[in-house]
Amino acid sequence: MKAFYSDHFVLPLPKGHRFPMEKYRLLRERVENELAGVSLCEAPSATDGQLALAHQPAWIEKVSMGTLSPTEQRTLGFPWSKAMAERSRRSVGATLAACDLAREDGFSANLAGGTHHAYADHGEGFCCFNDVAVAARWVQSRRWAQQVLCLDLDVHQGNGTARIFANDRSVYTLSLHGEKNFPFTKEQSDADWPLADGTGDEHYLACLEKALAAAESCRPDWVLYVAGADVYEGDRLGRLALSGAGIAERDRMVFDWCTARGLPCVITMGGGYAVPIENTVAIHFQTIALAADQQHARIRS
């Protein structure tokens, strides 16, 4: 299985910033050292034209030229820098490159991405460009897919994705998320599953089973999966209570569902804010390892 990384393009952050930038390097290193079945590739940079599939040209220009207002930078959660702009492009480029390979391989991954809070005209919640939204439009523009399922299992609702596709029936947005968590004003996905604080493995997995069954109605031929690690019981921003084993079962359910239907699945990491950071890295690593196992089994069958 191929996985794309962009951690070499480091976003400089002020001391004490709560975004766990280091997790991307740590994840790549674990995959490189421990998963012989995964081939790592540096992410390409998304072009203006690719970004414009889901973003307004004015927003792309602001990010590129560094003309974000103080309010826009606060909403985004990052100070602007050339490195921030380039890393944001690479994060989208990684998901697009993963889509190209998933056509043949079945599974491919971005070791970052899942930037689902970004809207067409602004960034939000540590998300500058929405890689999932761009990728959905990208695979459709290449005629690799007609109906795309954006399966968002980050603890936070994919509000930017939901808004971008609010009037687009060719993209089905499905989100399981914390009901009382960020964003505090939710958008309307095609299917929202709000979960109470403290939701654990049993109820979460039961909801996921029902959600996947309901997603059959959209007849997807492509899946973009945001595999957030922030549903973990030890996540400081998550407020749900899934165990590591429960998250593994979540991933298996998704991968089995895709394999049973012969659907390409592109995996993005989404959020993760556990302390110590190694706990988040372990969950992301587990997702990649399970996807690689699933792809191997898919090829053998």
Side-chain angles (χ1 to χ4, degrees):
M1 188 180 83
K2 298 284 197 307
F4 292 84
Y5 64 90
S6 53
D7 62 278
H8 284 36
F9 302 90
V10 178
L11 192 165
L13 295 173
K15 187 176 180 179
H17 197 285
R18 65 179 181 172
F19 188 77
M21 184 60 62
E22 188 183 10
K23 78 171 185 176
Y24 301 109
R25 174 183 61 81
L26 295 172
L27 174 59
R28 174 184 51 80
E29 290 174 351
R30 276 205 64 179
V31 171
E32 188 173 35
N33 294 331
E34 301 178 40
L35 287 181
V38 176
S39 177
L40 292 172
C41 310
E42 184 177 288
S45 182
T47 66
D48 284 359
Q50 289 168 334
L51 294 174
L53 291 169
H55 292 286
Q56 293 183 7
W59 174 243
I60 299 168
E61 182 177 6
K62 282 183 178 182
V63 175
S64 300
M65 302 303 294
T67 56
L68 278 68
S69 69
T71 298
E72 287 172 324
Q73 292 182 65
R74 284 194 298 271
T75 302
L76 172 59
F78 292 141
W80 184 88
S81 66
K82 289 184 178 179
M84 186 278 287
E86 181 61 22
R87 188 189 179 281
S88 298
R89 285 180 179 269
R90 297 276 175 168
S91 188
V92 175
T95 299
L96 299 183
C99 286
D100 189 27
L101 293 176
R103 286 187 302 147
E104 301 295 333
D105 296 346
F107 291 93
S108 190
N110 177 358
L111 299 186
T115 46
H116 58 172
H117 298 310
Y119 284 68
D121 62 350
H122 71 273
E124 187 173 297
F126 306 141
C127 301
C128 182
F129 297 125
N130 192 316
D131 66 304
V132 175
V134 173
R137 293 261 171 80
W138 173 247
V139 299
Q140 290 177 329
S141 73
R142 308 293 287 180
R143 298 187 179 179
W144 298 340
Q146 292 183 325
Q147 189 73 40
V148 177
L149 169 61
C150 294
L151 177 58
D152 197 326
L153 302 187
D154 192 275
V155 80
H156 305 109
Q157 192 210 34
N159 55 331
T161 310
R163 182 60 180 170
I164 288 170
F165 296 118
N167 299 308
D168 187 344
R169 297 187 66 181
S170 72
V171 179
Y172 188 89
T173 53
L174 190 163
S175 178
L176 272 71
H177 53 263
E179 181 178 18
K180 297 180 180 178
N181 210 324
F182 179 89
F184 302 111
T185 299
K186 306 290 194 290
E187 298 286 353
Q188 181 67 54
S189 306
D190 290 303
D192 284 306
W193 291 75
L195 302 170
D197 289 358
T199 293
D201 294 348
E202 184 177 358
H203 182 62
Y204 185 97
L205 295 172
C207 289
L208 176 58
E209 183 176 16
K210 293 176 183 177
L212 289 172
E216 298 277 5
S217 65
C218 79
R219 299 182 181 275
D221 45 22
W222 199 283
V223 176
L224 297 167
Y225 175 34
V226 182
D230 43 14
V231 295
Y232 176 57
E233 59 192 347
D235 194 276
R236 60 195 170 94
L237 300 183
R239 297 167 63 170
L240 297 187
L242 272 69
S243 67
I247 297 171
E249 183 58 26
R250 173 199 73 173
D251 292 338
R252 288 190 196 97
M253 287 175 65
V254 171
F255 300 152
D256 286 347
W257 190 84
C258 292
T259 295
R261 290 154 184 80
L263 299 175
C265 179
V266 173
I267 305 148
T268 63
M269 297 295 95
Y273 307 91
V275 177
I277 196 171
E278 286 77 13
N279 290 347
T280 291
V281 173
I283 293 166
H284 286 319
F285 176 83
Q286 175 179 259
T287 297
I288 299 300
L290 289 169
D293 288 345
Q294 182 79 224
Q295 186 202 25
H296 182 64
R298 195 162 169 172
I299 291 171
R300 290 180 62 187
S301 64

